[in-house]
Amino acid sequence: YSEGFKSGIFNIAAAGTVPVRPETIKSFEAGVKLQPSRFLRANLSAFTYDYKDLQVSARLAGNTVSFLQNAGAAKIKGIDFDLSAAPVEGLSLTLAGEYLDAKYKDFAGAAINVPNVVNGVAIGGNASVIADVSGNRLIRAPKFTATAGFTYDVDFAGGILKLGANANYNDGFFLEFGNRLRQPSYTLVNANLG
């Protein structure tokens, strides 16, 4: 269990605005680290983060300056794991993943941007509005991520040849408080030889 604190501030780009309140967090985490053999390691943890007055960055339509505002409360719950194995000499395998349930519990004054609509017709651009986004997912918080990879070292010409590759999967995430714009899921694959 731990607690954290981030100081409140004034938005210097918008003089005369209400100050941003201090952010606090209460964090609970439980887990286990196992090494059942010399060749296998596993870690598993479950956690929950309770934020009060979470400080978030917002931007109004047509404005290039961002500002901080408070979300009343947010909660993040999750599980993560990682496994590593060395089944034969020179070979290392890794697998890791995380599941997140990350939501704004109370965010009634969110500054969001919505499409400009006149008489039911979209006219282009965006308009800034204040909305209640309580219950929406936190931005940039994918529900599921996973990574798998290997490295293999081989004696070669008086040195060591290193081969490796990994794949990273991201389930996608929302880019703004209203949960209208979403980064779709994607996978990145990397390889190296040295």
Side-chain angles (χ1 to χ4, degrees):
Y1 172 78
S2 63
E3 294 184 11
F5 167 86
K6 187 192 291 184
S7 177
I9 67 162
F10 286 95
N11 282 299
I12 60 170
T17 59
V18 175
V20 179
R21 293 182 303 277
E23 171 184 304
T24 60
I25 181 174
K26 292 182 179 178
S27 168
F28 301 86
E29 183 172 357
V32 62
K33 296 179 182 287
L34 302 170
Q35 188 167 355
S37 75
R38 283 182 5 179
F39 312 107
L40 182 64
R41 267 187 276 183
N43 300 313
L44 176 67
S45 67
F47 54 89
T48 181
Y49 303 145
D50 282 311
Y51 285 95
K52 183 176 179 203
D53 291 322
L54 176 68
Q55 294 176 6
V56 295
S57 181
R59 185 178 313 229
L60 299 176
N63 193 339
T64 58
V65 178
S66 64
F67 62 94
L68 282 180
Q69 69 174 133
N70 291 107
K75 184 162 190 150
I76 301 173
K77 299 181 286 188
I79 297 172
D80 64 23
F81 75 92
D82 64 86
L83 302 168
S84 61
V88 295
E89 186 176 342
L91 178 64
S92 248
L93 305 172
T94 58
L95 178 66
E98 182 172 73
Y99 170 79
L100 276 183
D101 179 20
K103 293 187 178 165
Y104 298 107
K105 289 181 6 183
D106 174 23
F107 196 179
I112 66 170
N113 297 308
V114 297
N116 273 326
V117 176
V118 175
N119 295 327
V121 177
I123 61 170
N126 288 303
S128 297
V129 298
I130 301 300
D132 185 349
V133 298
S134 302
N136 282 10
R137 289 192 58 81
L138 265 67
I139 61 172
R140 296 181 187 88
K143 199 172 247 190
F144 181 71
T145 56
T147 301
F150 79 91
T151 58
Y152 188 54
D153 296 348
V154 181
D155 289 333
F156 181 76
I160 296 176
L161 179 65
K162 293 183 170 281
L163 306 159
N166 63 46
N168 301 291
Y169 172 77
N170 186 308
D171 191 38
F173 48 87
F174 289 104
L175 297 163
E176 46 74 48
F177 308 131
N179 287 180
R180 181 175 63 94
L181 301 175
R182 180 175 167 76
Q183 163 65 53
S185 63
Y186 61 91
T187 301
L188 298 175
V189 178
N190 300 293
N192 58 65
L193 173 66

